[in-house]
Amino acid sequence: MGESKVGAVLVVGGGVAGIQAALDLADSGFKVYLADQSPSIGGVMAQLDKTFPTNDCSMCILAPKLVAAGRHPNITLITNSEVVGLNGEAGNFEVKIRKRSRYINEDKCNGCGLCAQKCPVEAIDTYNKGLTDRSAVYVEFPQAVPLRFKIDREKCIGCRTCQEVCKANAVEYYQKDSEVILNVGSIILAPGFEPFDARLKSEYGYGRYQNVVTSIEFERILSASGPYGGIVLRPSDGEIPRKIAFVQCVGSRDAQLGNNYCSAACCMYSIKEAIIAKEHVPTKLECTIFYMDIRAYGKEFDAYYKRAKEEYGIQFVRSRVASITEDQSTGNLFVHYVGEDETPRIEEFDMIILSTGMQPPKDVEKLAKVLGIKLNKYRFCETGAFTPLETSKPGIYVCGAFSSPKDIPESVAQASAAASKAMAIIAPERGKLVTVKEAPPEIDVGQEEPRIGVFICHCGINIGGIVRVPEVVEYAKKLPNVVYAEDNLYTCSDDTQKRIREKIKEHNLNRVVVASCTPRTHEPLFRETVREAGLNPYLFEMANIRDQCSWVHMHEPEEATEKAKDLVRSVVAKARLLKPLKNPTVKVTPVGLVIGGGVSGMTAALELANQGFEVHLVEREKELGGHLKKIYYVLEGEDPQEYLRRLVKAVMEHERIHVYLGASVVEVNGFVGNFKSKILHNGEEKQVEHGIVIVATGATEYKPKEYLYGEDTRVLTQHELEEKLAEGKFNAKKVVMIQCVGARNEERPNCARICCGQAIKNALKIKELNPDADVYVLYKDVRSYGFKEEYYREAAAKGVLFISYSDEKKPKVTNESGKLKLAFWEPVLKQEIQMEPDIVVLSAATIPNPDNKRIAEMLKVPLTKDGFFLEAHMKLRPVDFQTDGVFLCGMAHSPKFIEESISQACAAAARAATILSKKELEMEGIVANVDEDLCSGCRICEYLCPYGAIEMKEKDGKLVAHVIEALCKGCGVCGTACPTKAIILGHFTTEEILAQVRAVLKEMEAIAA
Amino acid sequence: MAQGKLKIAFYWAASCGGCEIAVLDINEKILDVVQIADIVFWPVAMDIKYKDVEAMPDKYIDVCFFNGGIRNSEQEHMAKLLRQKSKILIAYGACAHLGGVPGLANLHNKKEIFEKAYMSTFSTDNPNKVTPKPKVHVKEGELEIPEFYDTVKTLDQTVEVDYYVPGCPPAVERTLYAIDAIAKGNLPPKGSVLAPLKSVCDDCSRKKENKKISKIYRVYEKVPEPEKCLLEQGILCMGPATRGGCGARCLNADMPCTGCGGPCPNAPEQGAAMISALASILGLEEEKEKYTEDEVEKLVTQIRDPVGTFYMYGLPASILKRKVMRE
Amino acid sequence: MSSQKEFEPKIVGFLCNWCSYAGADLAGVSRIQYPPNIRIIRVMCSGRIDPAFILEALKNGADGVLVAGCHLPSDCHYISGNFKALRRVTLLKKVLEEFGIEPERVRLEWVSASEGDKFAAVVRDMVEQIKKLGPNPLKMEAKQT
C-alpha cells in the first residue's frame, strides 16, 4: 500500500485559489476533494463588489467558476469541514476530515429557501459583514455553491418552524458531526487569509465609531447585493457621505503589531473602492487616501492609479494616520495625521474606511500541526525563494494568500501552479479515479414530429404558493406538440428525475420542457436526465417561473399565473424547433511547445515533462537561462546561479524535452490540440506538431537615456551593479540609486515592479560588503510588497537612506569637469542637496521583449499598450490567452520576481495539462456553424470573433467562412452579424428565438398556425 | 408544359417601367422567346384590353410576369385578375418582389403624399387644393379613377405568387434564367426566388480583406480604390445583405450595391441584417476601455438616411412594412 | 372613473445569460418585487441579440423591448459582445424613429449579476415610461385594418 500512488488530490480552502486548483486538477484527470470550513465555496472574492484594474463585477466573473466546481463530476465538495488528521506520505496520504453538521440533509435540501423565509430569528449576516441580518437557517449568499441551507445552532431558538415548512424533509435537527477518511496522493493548501482585526488598532476607533468601517465592509456597502443595495450610506444614520477617507496599512507594515509585511493588495483595492464610491454617489464625493507608499506594482496598476488621481480627482496624502476621533453629535470623524510638511493636522470626514491587511486564517496553526508543515514567523506558510509552491512537507503544496499576501490573479496563477506540482507526483495515476458516465445510445429523433413533455415545478410553495401550477399544466397540455404535462413538488429531486426518464419512455417524448427555477443552475441537471433517457441533451429547454416570476410577483398570483403561461408557451415554441447537437471533439497531440528558455520557459517545460508530456523548448540565445543569468543574489538569501545550473541540467537531461538553442519559432498554424509549427534551427526549418503553446519570451532591461547613462561609466544600471558586486569589483563608498528610470513616466506609465526589490537587495549587499558605505535610494514609492517589506526595513535600519522624489523635482546628474555630481530635492528639509557620489545606480525598468510583436502576430494574441502580452482575463485567467491552447508566463506577461515567474510557469503548465491530458477535447455543443451554400465570403464575421474561431477557407475558388469548433464559445456574435445568416448558432438559432418572440406575445391559436 | 406555344403575359403595376425595358434587354433572345411563346397580354406593347383578359378562361395564361407593387385599386384588381388567369405568376423585379423604391412611400400615407405631390412642391400651382378622387362628377357623367392606397404592398401581400425574379430591374441573366427554366419545365419549388443563394459579395470581384471601419463616406466624398471592397473603404454597400445573381454590375461601375436583390434566403429581413452587420464592424477597432455611448452615437450618426439606405427596395416587405402614422 | 382596465404594457426582455439574466435571477432570490409586465428570453450573450428579434417583437405587439447585457467595458463573458449590442441597438433606434416608433420603447441596459435591484428598477421604470407612451402603435394599426 505504501508504495502505490493515488490519483486524487485534496484541496483545502474553497476560495478562488482553491477552486482554480480543483478545476485544473479535475480537468486533467484527477479526482479532487475540495474542502472548506464555510458552508459554501467562494471565499473572500464572493464578498467583493468589483475587481481592479478592470472594475469587473466580482460575482459576475466568479459565479461561473463556483458553478463549474459545484458541478464537476470529478470534484467532491466537502463544505463545513476541517482537516483533523493526516497519515501516509507524498503520493499516498490518508486524511481525516471532520464535517460539521448543517442540521440539514445536504442530499435532500434543494436550496428553495422556504425555511429561511419562515425562520423567526434574526442573526448577524456574516456575508454582509454584520451590516444586515439573516435568519438562523441560511445560505451565505444567493449564488452559494452548494446551494444547501445550514442552521446556525447558536442563534436558533429551536422552534422547528423550518422543519414544518420544509417540503423536502431536509431538516435534521439532531444531525451529528461526522468524519470521513480520504485517500489522496497530494494536498494543496489554499486556506486564504482573514482580514486583520481592526479593533486591535484601537487608536482608529473601529468598533467604537459606527462610521469607521473596514475595507471588506465597504465592499459590501458598495455592492448592489449589499446591505444598502449599492447606495453608499454611512452606518450611523444612513446619510450619504460627502467626504470619505481611506486609511492604508491597517495591520500591515506595522512593527508594533509585529506585522512587518505589506499586505500587497490594499493600495489597489482602496483606489478601486474610492473610484467605485465616486461612481456610486451621485452628488459630489470627496475621497482621500492616506498612504505611506502607493504600491501599484502590478500589471496596468499605475495607469489605474493615475486615472484615480486625474480623472476621478481622488486625493492622495502621504502620511501614516496617528489616530481617529469622533464628533459624537454628528458621527463625523477627525483624522489626526502629520502632513508631508511634517506639521500635525486634523481633518474631518463623514466616513472612514480602514484598509485592513491580510493575515493567516485563525485556525491555521492547528492545520499546520495536523499536517506537519512549517509556518513562518507571521504564521503564513513557509516556502523557499525558488520553491514558492512547496510546503516543508513533500506532497503538500500551497497557493494563494496563505503563502504570502497577494491579490486575485496571483492567487489564481499560484493555484494552477500548485495543481501542476500536485499532479506531477501522481502523474501515472492520471485518469484512474475519475468517473466516466456511461449513457445509453442516443435515439434518433431527426424526422419525428415533436412530442413535447412539460414538467412544471411547485418548488415546495415557492412557485406553487403564488402561481396556480395545475392551471399552467392544463394550459400546457393544449399547446401545440405537447403530448404530456404534469406538475411536481420538486422537479429537481432525484425521484422526479427518474419520473422524467419514465415519462420520456412511456410517451415517446422527444423534447422536454421544465418550468421551474433558473437554467443557470439547473439546466445541466435536466440535460443529464434527458440524456440518460436516450435523448440528445439539447432537446431540452427551461422556463424560469420562479426566480423571474413567482418570486418577483409574490402579491400578484393572477398576473404571475398568466406570466407563467406565457413563459411556458414561449419555451414550448422554441422546443418544437430544437435540434439535437453534437458536442464536437478534436484530437489532441500530447506535446507542448514552449517559446523562450529563461527560468519561466524552462520551468514550464520541466513541469510538462514531469507530467509525462513531450516538450519542444525553443530558445533564441545559444544557451538557456535568459534574464536569470544576470541575477546573482536574491533578497531571501538563496543562490540563483546555483538554482539556474540545476534547472538547466534538469532540462537538458530530461528525456521528454527537446531543446533548440539559437533557434526561433517562425510559423504557427492550427489550433488547440492540433498545432503545426516551424522551428528555424541551425539554418533548417523543422516542423513540429503540438497541442499547446506556452509563451515565455521574457523581457529585457531598459537601456536608460537619462542621467548620463552611457556617457559616464560611473552611472550604472542595477544589473551592472549586481555584476560588479558579484565579481568583487565593487569599491564605491557613496552610492546613489535612482528608482523608476524608464518607468512610471509618459512613455511607460506602469511600474516595473521588481526594481525596488533590486535596489534594496543591492543596497543590502553593499552594506554587507562595507557597512560604512553611504547608500541613498531616491524613490517615488518604495514598493517592497509582501514579505519584501522586511528587507526594506532592514536596509533602513542598516542606514540606507530612502528619500522620495516627485516627477516635478527629479534628481539631476551632471559631470562637472570629471566630477560626478548629483542634486536632489530633500522634501523634509525642503532644500536641494548636492553631493558627489562615487557611482549612480539607475533602477532601469524591465521592458518587453522586442520580439513580442512578431510572436503576437504569429499566434494571433494581443499585446498591452506597453508591449507585454495580454492575458485572457486580468483577474481570473492570468496565464491563458483568449485563444485556447495558448498560454503565457513569466516576464512576457509583465515584470516579476523569480518566484513569481516560477509560479506562473507552473501555472501555464497546469493549464496546458488540462488540454494535453485528454486524448480528445470535447467541446460544448452550442457552437456556430457556417452554411457554405449561403456564405458569400464577405468576411464581416471574421474579426468579430474574440476567440479567433473564424477562419476563411477556399471552396470552389472562393472564400467562405469556417468556424473552428474547438475555439468557438457559442456567443453568437458572428451569426448575428452575418448579413446572409449563413452562420447559425446551435440552440439559439434565429428561427428558434423568433418563434419564442412570437409565441410569448401571441395567444396560442396564433402559434399553432 | 402544354403542347404548342406557351401563353405569356406581362403587366406593369406600381413601378417605373424599367422592368418593361429589362424584358427587352435580353436582345435577340427575345426571338427565342417568341419561338416558344405567344404573348397574350402586354399593355405597354400590345393593344389588348382588360376585358379581353377578363374573357380568358381561368389559368389560360401559362406564365405572367408581373412587375410593380400594389399601391392602388386598379393594380390590386389586375393582380387578382391575372392570378386567376395564370398558371404561374411571377413577381418580376424589385417592386413586385419587395415593394421597391415606390415602397419608400410607406414612410408617408396618402394624405401626406397628395399634399406633397399636388400642393406643396415648388412647381405646383393648385390654389383650389384639388386632389384625385376615385369618383368625380363632371357634366359628361361620372369619372372613375383608381383609388390610391395609404400603403404600398408587395405582390405576394396581395395574391399568391409562384416565383420571384429579383432586381431593379432584373439582370439579363435573371430573366434568361427564368425563361429557360420555364421553357425546359425545370422550375424550382414554388415560392423560390429565381436567383443564386449567395449574396452580391459572391458576385463581386473586389478584394475583401479586413472589415473594420470607423468612418463612413458617402459616394461622392471619395474616389474608391478600384479593386478593394467598397464597404472596407467606408462606402456603405448593401451587397453583403443582398441576394446576388446580378453579376455585381454596380460594383463593377464603382458604385455600391443599394440592395435591389432583396434579402438572402435565411435572413428574416434585409434591413435588419445589414443594420446588424454594419453596426458590428463599425468602430470595431476602437472598442476599448473608454468607449462611451456618446462615441457610439457619433459613429452611428454618420449613417445618413438609415431607412433609405437599409430599406431602399424592401420597406413594404420588411418586418414593420411601413411607418406608423399618427394624427 | 372609467371601468376600463389601465393599459398594462407587454415588454419582451432579451437578457444575456451571464450578467443580466443572472441579475434578474438575483432579483428573484432577493424577492425584489417588480411589475409582471416583462417576459424574458434568454440568450447567451447580448451580442446574439439580432435587430430582427426586436423588430419582430414590436411587430407582434410588444409595447417595449429590453435588451440587457454585461456592463461595459469588460464584464462581457464573451469579451466584447456587449459592444456589438450597443452599436446595433443604437443604430436600430435611429431606424425605429423613422418608422414612427418611439425609440424609448427599446431600451438597452447594463445589468450585472449582482444588480438584482437594478434589474427590478429598470423594469419598474420601463413599465412607467411605456405606460406614458401608450400602447405600441402597431397594435392600434393592426386593429384598424
Side-chain angles (χ1 to χ4, degrees), chain A residues 807-845:
Chain A
D807 278 332
E808 294 76 45
K809 292 196 168 72
K810 280 188 182 166
K812 291 186 204 80
V813 179
T814 47
N815 180 334
E816 283 170 31
S817 17
K819 283 185 178 159
L820 187 62
K821 295 221 167 164
L822 181 126
F824 65 91
W825 179 260
E826 216 308 331
V828 178
L829 303 174
K830 287 205 193 71
Q831 63 181 43
E832 192 170 83
I833 307 270
Q834 303 274 350
M835 61 164 68
E836 277 182 39
D838 298 330
I839 58 168
V840 168
V841 185
L842 306 182
S843 288

Tab-separated table of all heavy atoms in Angstrom, chain A residues 807-845:
chain	number	residue	atom	x	y	z
A	807	ASP	N	7.938	63.695	-9.818
A	807	ASP	CA	8.211	63.981	-11.228
A	807	ASP	C	8.557	65.448	-11.460
A	807	ASP	O	9.315	65.783	-12.372
A	807	ASP	CB	6.991	63.612	-12.083
A	807	ASP	CG	6.971	62.127	-12.385
A	807	ASP	OD1	8.061	61.515	-12.425
A	807	ASP	OD2	5.866	61.576	-12.566
A	808	GLU	N	8.001	66.300	-10.610
A	808	GLU	CA	8.274	67.736	-10.776
A	808	GLU	C	9.708	68.063	-10.356
A	808	GLU	O	10.330	68.981	-10.866
A	808	GLU	CB	7.310	68.581	-9.927
A	808	GLU	CG	5.854	68.515	-10.342
A	808	GLU	CD	5.188	67.217	-9.924
A	808	GLU	OE1	5.399	66.799	-8.762
A	808	GLU	OE2	4.502	66.597	-10.761
A	809	LYS	N	10.200	67.301	-9.370
A	809	LYS	CA	11.568	67.590	-8.879
A	809	LYS	C	12.411	66.332	-8.980
A	809	LYS	O	12.684	65.664	-7.995
A	809	LYS	CB	11.499	68.071	-7.426
A	809	LYS	CG	10.836	69.439	-7.258
A	809	LYS	CD	11.154	70.014	-5.899
A	809	LYS	CE	10.778	71.470	-5.781
A	809	LYS	NZ	9.322	71.691	-5.714
A	810	LYS	N	12.795	66.032	-10.202
A	810	LYS	CA	13.610	64.842	-10.415
A	810	LYS	C	15.051	65.129	-10.041
A	810	LYS	O	15.511	66.271	-10.145
A	810	LYS	CB	13.558	64.441	-11.892
A	810	LYS	CG	12.305	63.678	-12.253
A	810	LYS	CD	12.413	63.143	-13.664
A	810	LYS	CE	11.152	62.423	-14.041
A	810	LYS	NZ	11.044	62.158	-15.451
A	811	PRO	N	15.794	64.124	-9.617
A	811	PRO	CA	17.220	64.344	-9.330
A	811	PRO	C	17.961	64.724	-10.622
A	811	PRO	O	17.515	64.390	-11.724
A	811	PRO	CB	17.719	62.999	-8.813
A	811	PRO	CG	16.570	62.062	-8.833
A	811	PRO	CD	15.383	62.728	-9.390
A	812	LYS	N	19.072	65.434	-10.439
A	812	LYS	CA	19.874	65.805	-11.611
A	812	LYS	C	21.263	65.211	-11.469
A	812	LYS	O	21.884	65.318	-10.404
A	812	LYS	CB	19.986	67.329	-11.703
A	812	LYS	CG	18.680	68.014	-12.040
A	812	LYS	CD	18.903	69.517	-12.250
A	812	LYS	CE	17.613	70.303	-12.010
A	812	LYS	NZ	17.323	70.526	-10.576
A	813	VAL	N	21.736	64.607	-12.522
A	813	VAL	CA	23.088	64.040	-12.516
A	813	VAL	C	23.904	64.796	-13.558
A	813	VAL	O	23.476	64.940	-14.696
A	813	VAL	CB	23.069	62.532	-12.854
A	813	VAL	CG1	24.482	61.963	-12.869
A	813	VAL	CG2	22.198	61.766	-11.872
A	814	THR	N	25.059	65.312	-13.133
A	814	THR	CA	25.900	66.059	-14.070
A	814	THR	C	27.350	65.609	-13.910
A	814	THR	O	27.728	65.038	-12.887
A	814	THR	CB	25.828	67.569	-13.797
A	814	THR	OG1	25.987	67.791	-12.390
A	814	THR	CG2	24.509	68.159	-14.254
A	815	ASN	N	28.085	65.875	-14.958
A	815	ASN	CA	29.531	65.635	-14.904
A	815	ASN	C	30.189	66.997	-15.000
A	815	ASN	O	30.157	67.639	-16.044
A	815	ASN	CB	29.919	64.720	-16.077
A	815	ASN	CG	31.403	64.421	-16.081
A	815	ASN	OD1	32.226	65.199	-15.565
A	815	ASN	ND2	31.760	63.303	-16.677
A	816	GLU	N	30.730	67.449	-13.848
A	816	GLU	CA	31.369	68.761	-13.850
A	816	GLU	C	32.858	68.574	-13.774
A	816	GLU	O	33.382	68.136	-12.754
A	816	GLU	CB	30.833	69.618	-12.686
A	816	GLU	CG	29.454	70.166	-13.006
A	816	GLU	CD	28.793	70.803	-11.800
A	816	GLU	OE1	29.510	71.351	-10.932
A	816	GLU	OE2	27.551	70.711	-11.709
A	817	SER	N	33.508	68.862	-14.867
A	817	SER	CA	34.954	68.650	-15.046
A	817	SER	C	35.425	67.341	-14.413
A	817	SER	O	36.251	67.290	-13.512
A	817	SER	CB	35.770	69.831	-14.501
A	817	SER	OG	35.036	70.639	-13.632
A	818	GLY	N	34.757	66.290	-14.870
A	818	GLY	CA	35.205	64.969	-14.433
A	818	GLY	C	34.596	64.507	-13.131
A	818	GLY	O	34.697	63.335	-12.784
A	819	LYS	N	33.969	65.431	-12.420
A	819	LYS	CA	33.350	65.021	-11.152
A	819	LYS	C	31.886	64.697	-11.372
A	819	LYS	O	31.167	65.478	-11.977
A	819	LYS	CB	33.478	66.147	-10.122
A	819	LYS	CG	34.867	66.227	-9.547
A	819	LYS	CD	34.927	67.257	-8.466
A	819	LYS	CE	36.331	67.280	-7.873
A	819	LYS	NZ	36.610	68.548	-7.186
A	820	LEU	N	31.465	63.516	-10.834
A	820	LEU	CA	30.078	63.128	-10.961
A	820	LEU	C	29.284	63.824	-9.860
A	820	LEU	O	29.566	63.658	-8.680
A	820	LEU	CB	29.949	61.602	-10.826
A	820	LEU	CG	28.566	61.009	-11.105
A	820	LEU	CD1	28.131	61.276	-12.536
A	820	LEU	CD2	28.561	59.516	-10.807
A	821	LYS	N	28.339	64.650	-10.275
A	821	LYS	CA	27.569	65.403	-9.274
A	821	LYS	C	26.095	65.040	-9.346
A	821	LYS	O	25.566	64.776	-10.433
A	821	LYS	CB	27.730	66.906	-9.525
A	821	LYS	CG	29.142	67.371	-9.313
A	821	LYS	CD	29.158	68.685	-8.603
A	821	LYS	CE	30.563	68.976	-8.119
A	821	LYS	NZ	30.750	70.376	-7.760
A	822	LEU	N	25.479	65.051	-8.180
A	822	LEU	CA	24.069	64.732	-8.141
A	822	LEU	C	23.347	65.728	-7.249
A	822	LEU	O	23.831	66.078	-6.175
A	822	LEU	CB	23.876	63.311	-7.598
A	822	LEU	CG	22.418	62.848	-7.539
A	822	LEU	CD1	22.233	61.542	-8.253
A	822	LEU	CD2	21.934	62.745	-6.114
A	823	ALA	N	22.258	66.247	-7.733
A	823	ALA	CA	21.461	67.178	-6.932
A	823	ALA	C	20.057	66.618	-6.813
A	823	ALA	O	19.513	66.097	-7.788
A	823	ALA	CB	21.419	68.541	-7.623
A	824	PHE	N	19.514	66.668	-5.626
A	824	PHE	CA	18.135	66.211	-5.461
A	824	PHE	C	17.440	67.057	-4.415
A	824	PHE	O	18.070	67.718	-3.592
A	824	PHE	CB	18.084	64.721	-5.091
A	824	PHE	CG	18.689	64.381	-3.761
A	824	PHE	CD1	17.911	64.367	-2.608
A	824	PHE	CD2	20.048	64.067	-3.653
A	824	PHE	CE1	18.465	64.049	-1.389
A	824	PHE	CE2	20.613	63.752	-2.432
A	824	PHE	CZ	19.820	63.749	-1.283
A	825	TRP	N	16.144	67.015	-4.450
A	825	TRP	CA	15.317	67.808	-3.544
A	825	TRP	C	15.005	66.976	-2.310
A	825	TRP	O	14.507	65.867	-2.392
A	825	TRP	CB	14.024	68.210	-4.260
A	825	TRP	CG	13.094	69.009	-3.397
A	825	TRP	CD1	11.999	68.547	-2.740
A	825	TRP	CD2	13.186	70.401	-3.082
A	825	TRP	NE1	11.399	69.548	-2.038
A	825	TRP	CE2	12.103	70.722	-2.232
A	825	TRP	CE3	14.093	71.429	-3.447
A	825	TRP	CZ2	11.899	72.006	-1.724
A	825	TRP	CZ3	13.869	72.700	-2.952
A	825	TRP	CH2	12.787	72.992	-2.094
A	826	GLU	N	15.328	67.522	-1.142
A	826	GLU	CA	15.037	66.822	0.107
A	826	GLU	C	13.690	67.338	0.610
A	826	GLU	O	13.597	68.487	1.038
A	826	GLU	CB	16.148	67.128	1.110
A	826	GLU	CG	16.561	66.025	2.047
A	826	GLU	CD	15.462	65.330	2.834
A	826	GLU	OE1	14.392	65.935	3.144
A	826	GLU	OE2	15.649	64.158	3.144
A	827	PRO	N	12.653	66.500	0.563
A	827	PRO	CA	11.315	67.032	0.835
A	827	PRO	C	11.085	67.433	2.293
A	827	PRO	O	10.263	68.307	2.575
A	827	PRO	CB	10.382	65.882	0.434
A	827	PRO	CG	11.220	64.655	0.466
A	827	PRO	CD	12.635	65.078	0.210
A	828	VAL	N	11.803	66.795	3.240
A	828	VAL	CA	11.593	67.153	4.646
A	828	VAL	C	12.318	68.452	4.966
A	828	VAL	O	11.769	69.385	5.555
A	828	VAL	CB	12.036	66.008	5.578
A	828	VAL	CG1	11.857	66.402	7.040
A	828	VAL	CG2	11.236	64.743	5.267
A	829	LEU	N	13.575	68.528	4.546
A	829	LEU	CA	14.346	69.754	4.779
A	829	LEU	C	13.918	70.875	3.844
A	829	LEU	O	14.257	72.032	4.042
A	829	LEU	CB	15.841	69.486	4.569
A	829	LEU	CG	16.437	68.362	5.441
A	829	LEU	CD1	17.885	68.099	5.045
A	829	LEU	CD2	16.369	68.745	6.916
A	830	LYS	N	13.187	70.466	2.813
A	830	LYS	CA	12.737	71.419	1.794
A	830	LYS	C	13.893	72.184	1.184
A	830	LYS	O	13.917	73.412	1.144
A	830	LYS	CB	11.726	72.421	2.381
A	830	LYS	CG	10.369	71.818	2.655
A	830	LYS	CD	9.314	72.913	2.625
A	830	LYS	CE	8.014	72.463	3.184
A	830	LYS	NZ	7.996	72.273	4.623
A	831	GLN	N	14.932	71.467	0.808
A	831	GLN	CA	16.020	72.142	0.099
A	831	GLN	C	16.703	71.181	-0.849
A	831	GLN	O	16.569	69.960	-0.721
A	831	GLN	CB	17.031	72.724	1.084
A	831	GLN	CG	17.724	71.658	1.920
A	831	GLN	CD	18.705	72.277	2.893
A	831	GLN	OE1	18.429	73.277	3.538
A	831	GLN	NE2	19.879	71.680	3.002
A	832	GLU	N	17.398	71.760	-1.784
A	832	GLU	CA	18.117	70.927	-2.723
A	832	GLU	C	19.456	70.516	-2.108
A	832	GLU	O	20.139	71.333	-1.496
A	832	GLU	CB	18.356	71.671	-4.040
A	832	GLU	CG	18.834	70.719	-5.115
A	832	GLU	CD	18.853	71.346	-6.501
A	832	GLU	OE1	19.844	72.030	-6.798
A	832	GLU	OE2	17.888	71.168	-7.245
A	833	ILE	N	19.783	69.228	-2.237
A	833	ILE	CA	21.042	68.714	-1.680
A	833	ILE	C	21.966	68.386	-2.847
A	833	ILE	O	21.529	67.809	-3.836
A	833	ILE	CB	20.793	67.422	-0.870
A	833	ILE	CG1	19.692	67.634	0.193
A	833	ILE	CG2	22.087	66.870	-0.298
A	833	ILE	CD1	20.136	68.094	1.528
A	834	GLN	N	23.209	68.792	-2.690
A	834	GLN	CA	24.223	68.482	-3.706
A	834	GLN	C	25.133	67.410	-3.140
A	834	GLN	O	25.454	67.445	-1.960
A	834	GLN	CB	25.093	69.717	-3.991
A	834	GLN	CG	24.323	70.935	-4.431
A	834	GLN	CD	24.076	70.966	-5.924
A	834	GLN	OE1	24.646	70.152	-6.662
A	834	GLN	NE2	23.229	71.882	-6.368
A	835	MET	N	25.537	66.479	-3.968
A	835	MET	CA	26.554	65.536	-3.477
A	835	MET	C	27.393	65.015	-4.622
A	835	MET	O	27.059	65.193	-5.790
A	835	MET	CB	25.910	64.412	-2.676
A	835	MET	CG	24.935	63.548	-3.424
A	835	MET	SD	24.624	62.023	-2.542
A	835	MET	CE	23.749	62.630	-1.132
A	836	GLU	N	28.493	64.396	-4.252
A	836	GLU	CA	29.369	63.789	-5.257
A	836	GLU	C	29.447	62.296	-5.021
A	836	GLU	O	30.309	61.813	-4.284
A	836	GLU	CB	30.792	64.385	-5.141
A	836	GLU	CG	30.959	65.692	-5.841
A	836	GLU	CD	32.400	66.206	-5.728
A	836	GLU	OE1	33.335	65.384	-5.818
A	836	GLU	OE2	32.543	67.411	-5.533
A	837	PRO	N	28.543	61.565	-5.586
A	837	PRO	CA	28.580	60.118	-5.370
A	837	PRO	C	29.705	59.469	-6.168
A	837	PRO	O	30.150	60.028	-7.177
A	837	PRO	CB	27.217	59.674	-5.880
A	837	PRO	CG	26.808	60.711	-6.866
A	837	PRO	CD	27.477	61.997	-6.484
A	838	ASP	N	30.151	58.309	-5.689
A	838	ASP	CA	31.161	57.566	-6.468
A	838	ASP	C	30.492	56.916	-7.677
A	838	ASP	O	31.053	56.912	-8.764
A	838	ASP	CB	31.800	56.484	-5.595
A	838	ASP	CG	32.526	57.086	-4.422
A	838	ASP	OD1	33.027	58.218	-4.566
A	838	ASP	OD2	32.553	56.455	-3.348
A	839	ILE	N	29.306	56.387	-7.391
A	839	ILE	CA	28.548	55.874	-8.535
A	839	ILE	C	27.058	56.216	-8.368
A	839	ILE	O	26.584	56.418	-7.256
A	839	ILE	CB	28.677	54.334	-8.732
A	839	ILE	CG1	28.206	53.596	-7.471
A	839	ILE	CG2	30.067	53.914	-9.136
A	839	ILE	CD1	28.033	52.102	-7.706
A	840	VAL	N	26.414	56.284	-9.507
A	840	VAL	CA	24.957	56.455	-9.513
A	840	VAL	C	24.377	55.195	-10.165
A	840	VAL	O	24.838	54.772	-11.227
A	840	VAL	CB	24.545	57.707	-10.307
A	840	VAL	CG1	23.035	57.721	-10.553
A	840	VAL	CG2	24.977	58.956	-9.576
A	841	VAL	N	23.443	54.576	-9.467
A	841	VAL	CA	22.864	53.340	-9.989
A	841	VAL	C	21.414	53.605	-10.393
A	841	VAL	O	20.637	54.124	-9.596
A	841	VAL	CB	22.915	52.216	-8.933
A	841	VAL	CG1	22.416	50.909	-9.551
A	841	VAL	CG2	24.311	52.063	-8.384
A	842	LEU	N	21.132	53.279	-11.628
A	842	LEU	CA	19.772	53.528	-12.129
A	842	LEU	C	18.944	52.249	-12.063
A	842	LEU	O	19.350	51.208	-12.570
A	842	LEU	CB	19.828	54.027	-13.572
A	842	LEU	CG	20.722	55.251	-13.833
A	842	LEU	CD1	20.638	55.644	-15.305
A	842	LEU	CD2	20.346	56.431	-12.942
A	843	SER	N	17.827	52.338	-11.390
A	843	SER	CA	16.912	51.198	-11.380
A	843	SER	C	16.102	51.259	-12.661
A	843	SER	O	15.043	51.872	-12.734
A	843	SER	CB	15.985	51.267	-10.165
A	843	SER	OG	16.736	50.978	-9.016
A	844	ALA	N	16.656	50.626	-13.683
A	844	ALA	CA	16.063	50.722	-15.013
A	844	ALA	C	14.893	49.764	-15.130
A	844	ALA	O	14.917	48.654	-14.605
A	844	ALA	CB	17.110	50.397	-16.071
A	845	ALA	N	13.898	50.225	-15.809
A	845	ALA	CA	12.681	49.432	-15.972
A	845	ALA	C	12.954	48.131	-16.709
A	845	ALA	O	13.933	48.006	-17.445
A	845	ALA	CB	11.660	50.248	-16.756
